[in-house]
């Protein structure tokens, strides 16, 4: 099993920045990719960004490309999501997810094996 714990959410004004963290523990050697998803009120959960835990592969949703950056610190078993130029439409609960597969461009939430509990991000206008 793998446990994921997110942190770093909060309230920020439009145009501001936040950095989310996701700390993984347990059988982390089984994970190949980690990702961030988000779910806004009344909407389905959607893919935000994905990173491979070796090499330099990253992949972003078009809605966040150029504003968000996903990164990792393998020594700390932690993945980050740096969010800049935040917009009110970025308001959502942000979830960290881990994937044991080797597929690069996986955006379906059903493909992920482990999930965190989520952290709220609220962007005021």
């Amino acid at each position: 099993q793998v446990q994921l714990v997110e942190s770093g959410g909060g309230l920020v004004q439009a145009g501001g920045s936040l950095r989310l963290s996701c700390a993984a523990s347990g059988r982390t050697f089984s994970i190949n990719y980690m990702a961030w998803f988000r779910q806004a009120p009344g909407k389905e959960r959607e893919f935000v960004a994905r990173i491979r835990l070796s090499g330099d592969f990253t992949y972003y949703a078009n809605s966040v490309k150029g504003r968000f950056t996903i990164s990792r610190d393998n020594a700390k078993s932690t993945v980050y999501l740096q969010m800049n130029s935040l917009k009110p439409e970025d308001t959502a609960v942000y979830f960290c997810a881990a994937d044991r597969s080797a597929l690069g461009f996986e955006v379906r939430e059903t493909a992920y094996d482990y999930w965190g509990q989520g952290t709220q991000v609220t962007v005021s206008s």
Side-chain angles (χ1 to χ4, degrees), residues 17-124:
S17 299
L18 278 176
R19 189 177 82 155
L20 306 183
S21 299
C22 174
S25 61
R27 299 171 63 88
T28 57
F29 60 85
S30 66
I31 300 171
N32 287 310
Y33 290 86
M34 292 184 69
W36 289 95
F37 284 75
R38 67 185 181 186
Q39 187 168 21
K43 295 187 177 181
E44 294 186 351
R45 190 153 51 183
E46 65 175 1
F47 170 80
V48 174
R50 175 172 166 94
I51 188 168
R52 189 167 60 196
L53 298 188
S54 62
D56 58 0
F57 174 89
T58 57
Y59 182 63
Y60 297 90
N62 287 335
S63 58
V64 306
K65 199 174 297 182
R67 300 188 298 122
F68 291 11
T69 302
I70 190 170
S71 61
R72 68 178 195 267
D73 184 336
N74 288 348
K76 296 181 179 180
S77 297
T78 300
V79 169
Y80 304 97
L81 185 69
Q82 177 66 44
M83 306 185 294
N84 299 328
S85 302
L86 282 162
K87 305 175 182 180
E89 52 263 43
D90 295 317
T91 295
V93 177
Y94 283 71
F95 297 89
C96 176
D99 180 9
R100 294 177 296 178
S101 78
L103 298 176
F105 298 94
E106 185 58 78
V107 302
R108 299 170 300 163
E109 62 175 294
T110 54
Y112 288 79
D113 302 292
Y114 306 103
W115 291 85
Q117 81 288 352
T119 185
Q120 176 71 46
V121 171
T122 303
V123 184
S124 64

